[in-house]
Amino acid sequence: MSHSPASPAHAVVVRELKQPAELTEVDLDAVEVADGDLLIDVAYSSLNYKDAMALAGDPGIVRTTPLIPGIDAVGTVVEAPGGGFRPGQTVVVNGAGLGERRDGGYVARTSVPATSAIVVPDRFDARQAAAVGTAGFTAALCVQALIDHGVTAGDAPVLVTGATGGVGSIALHLLDALGLDTVALTGRVDEHGDYLRGLGAGEILDRADFADQGKPLQKARFAGVVDTVGSHTLVNALAQLKWGGVAAACGMAQGPDLPGSVLPFILRGVTLVGANSVDAPAELRERAWALLARHLDTEILESLTEEIGLDEVIDAGGELLAGRRHGRTVVRVAD
């Protein structure tokens, strides 16, 4: 069945692995809706680090070709054959294989798994939901994990690594909104100090101090950690957790390895929790978006968000990989 917007329309497509994406025209009427999927008209997507890697044709992200990147999609339901949703609802899908195993949000119409779709909370419009995106969703998963494991206001500070990125920025703001003290870790202390303090960071540390191998147990000073970096950075953060502290790990910018010791786990009773935004079940998705709806200040969100068009996203992805972007980038898909 054909629906507006009219076909064809522009999309960003990766044709081959290790080759950059291109802006091209696609046939929207050719989008198939499998059992358990929703057909949506996409208004906005966003630019995440995974998207930047996909735009470069990175085989670590791109699992099939040709592929339309965009791990976020926010839009209006056109067809909901499986029930549970109805045409006209505005929904958001984060991860769920979009832009990796199946076409994602950099196109005006796409098919998304209904089990991963969330009706956008009344607090947000479609653009704001895209500004939250996978980064904000992941940050909320991490913050919720800390709360679930007993981290509360009045405890020692929570360390946020990769603090100028999308996940780190929103995690800092959410933690501050919940009354927790925070410490931001970044490689750009002088450049982004004011930005991070504006998000609630009470102290800013240089990532170089965490980047190399350290002692298995270090001075205990953090109640929790939101880590987007992995490798030695995460190991050093674990070594600095206080008794019963919790680390929520969601990224591996430095590497996927964990070159550390069991000593923090045994001698200080710390907990390491993983946050997987791709495969999170519906219950976790709903809880994370409820947390965002309660505590995310939309003015703060707007202040750290830039909007670009679909024709700008390839260049913006290169800038993100080169470390020249921070905060959140919304991609306007609908004309």
Side-chain angles (χ1 to χ4, degrees), residues 11-275:
V12 174
V13 180
V14 178
R15 299 288 185 191
E16 298 181 32
L17 294 177
K18 301 183 180 179
Q19 296 295 318
E22 60 186 59
L23 185 68
T24 187
E25 285 192 342
V26 295
D27 182 4
L28 296 182
D29 293 330
V31 178
E32 297 182 357
V33 185
D35 290 343
D37 280 3
L38 305 174
L39 183 66
I40 67 170
D41 282 343
V42 181
Y44 295 97
S45 184
S46 70
L47 177 65
N48 303 277
Y49 199 82
K50 269 188 178 181
D51 297 316
M53 294 172 70
L55 289 165
D58 191 318
I61 301 298
V62 178
R63 304 299 184 181
T64 184
T65 56
L67 178 76
I68 298 172
I71 64 174
D72 294 320
V74 183
T76 304
V77 175
V78 176
E79 293 181 6
F85 293 88
R86 64 180 185 275
Q89 287 182 306
T90 302
V91 297
V92 54
V93 179
N94 309 115
L98 299 188
E100 297 182 75
R101 303 187 298 268
R102 58 188 292 165
D103 286 341
Y106 293 169
V107 62
R109 174 171 292 151
T110 195
S111 175
V112 298
T115 53
S116 300
I118 298 291
V119 175
V120 173
D122 292 340
R123 177 83 179 279
F124 308 120
D125 60 25
R127 182 185 182 279
Q128 291 166 337
V132 172
T134 285
F137 171 55
T138 302
L141 288 173
C142 291
V143 171
Q144 187 66 61
L146 298 187
I147 295 170
D148 289 346
H149 285 80
V151 178
T152 61
D155 288 343
V158 174
L159 176 70
V160 178
T161 72
T164 61
V167 176
S169 295
I170 295 180
L172 277 173
H173 170 57
L174 289 175
L175 291 164
D176 181 61
L178 287 162
L180 286 98
D181 295 329
T182 57
V183 175
L185 189 68
T186 179
R188 298 176 283 181
V189 175
D190 294 335
E191 182 180 358
H192 292 306
D194 290 343
Y195 168 79
L196 294 170
R197 281 185 282 271
L199 292 173
E203 183 179 0
I204 302 171
L205 301 178
D206 194 325
R207 71 182 180 198
D209 296 335
F210 285 69
D212 299 318
Q213 183 175 357
K215 295 180 180 180
L217 283 179
Q218 301 171 33
K219 180 180 179 180
R221 51 178 172 165
F222 304 120
V225 177
V226 173
D227 177 66
T228 69
V229 179
S231 194
H232 290 295
T233 298
L234 174 56
V235 170
N236 284 315
L238 288 166
Q240 295 180 41
L241 282 172
K242 298 174 72 71
W243 172 263
V246 184
C250 63
M252 43 191 170
Q254 187 178 13
D257 56 326
L258 193 67
S261 165
V262 298
L263 291 183
F265 303 101
I266 295 173
L267 299 183
R268 291 183 181 165
V270 307
T271 300
L272 175 60
V273 183

Side-chain angles (χ1 to χ4, degrees), residues 314-332:
I314 296 173
D315 289 342
E319 294 171 0
L320 182 56
L321 291 179
R324 297 199 298 271
R325 302 186 74 86
H326 68 278
R328 296 291 295 135
T329 302
V330 164
V331 180
R332 184 178 62 259

